Amino acid sequence: MGKTTKYTLIILGALVVLLIIGKATGIIGKSKKTEVATEKAAIREINETVSASGKIKPHIEVKISPEVSGEVVELPVKEGDVVKKVSFCVRSARIF
């Protein structure tokens, strides 16, 4: 065996020994672990708050317009009130 081959084998042997020691101690191949917070189970109240900027829009927007001319005599609903299909919304006096 030549000197070059002898030194190459010694260096390779040393690297193998270092890799085995590194794996055994956890230095090589160490994976990052995700830390998780744990607690005992208990009945609690969960409060959630959401803050955002913007406008609130209704699902359905209804525009009321008369089919005939007239004067509004009574308007029992206010803006924002919930009305149903058969709700009384306005009473008018017909002007011919």
Side-chain angles (χ1 to χ4, degrees):
M1 248 198 272
K3 285 187 175 183
T4 308
T5 308
K6 193 176 185 182
Y7 290 128
T8 305
L9 288 175
I10 292 172
I11 291 172
L12 285 175
L15 285 174
V16 170
V17 170
L18 288 173
L19 284 173
I20 291 171
I21 292 172
K23 279 283 195 184
T25 58
I27 295 171
I28 297 174
K30 189 175 182 181
S31 63
K32 294 182 181 179
K33 295 181 181 177
T34 304
E35 292 189 25
V36 179
T38 59
E39 290 186 31
K40 289 187 177 185
I43 296 174
R44 297 182 193 160
E45 185 176 320
I46 298 173
N47 294 322
E48 212 171 304
T49 304
V50 178
S51 63
S53 60
K55 295 181 180 180
I56 298 175
K57 294 184 178 181
H59 289 287
I60 301 170
E61 187 173 333
V62 179
K63 296 193 185 236
I64 299 174
S65 60
E67 292 180 14
V68 294
S69 299
E71 179 184 344
V72 174
V73 177
E74 184 181 353
L75 188 62
V77 293
K78 295 180 181 116
E79 186 176 337
D81 285 353
V82 176
V83 294
K84 300 196 185 236
K85 196 172 190 175
V86 294
S87 295
F88 172 71
C89 295
V90 66
R91 180 183 312 270
S92 66
R94 282 190 169 175
I95 300 175
F96 296 101

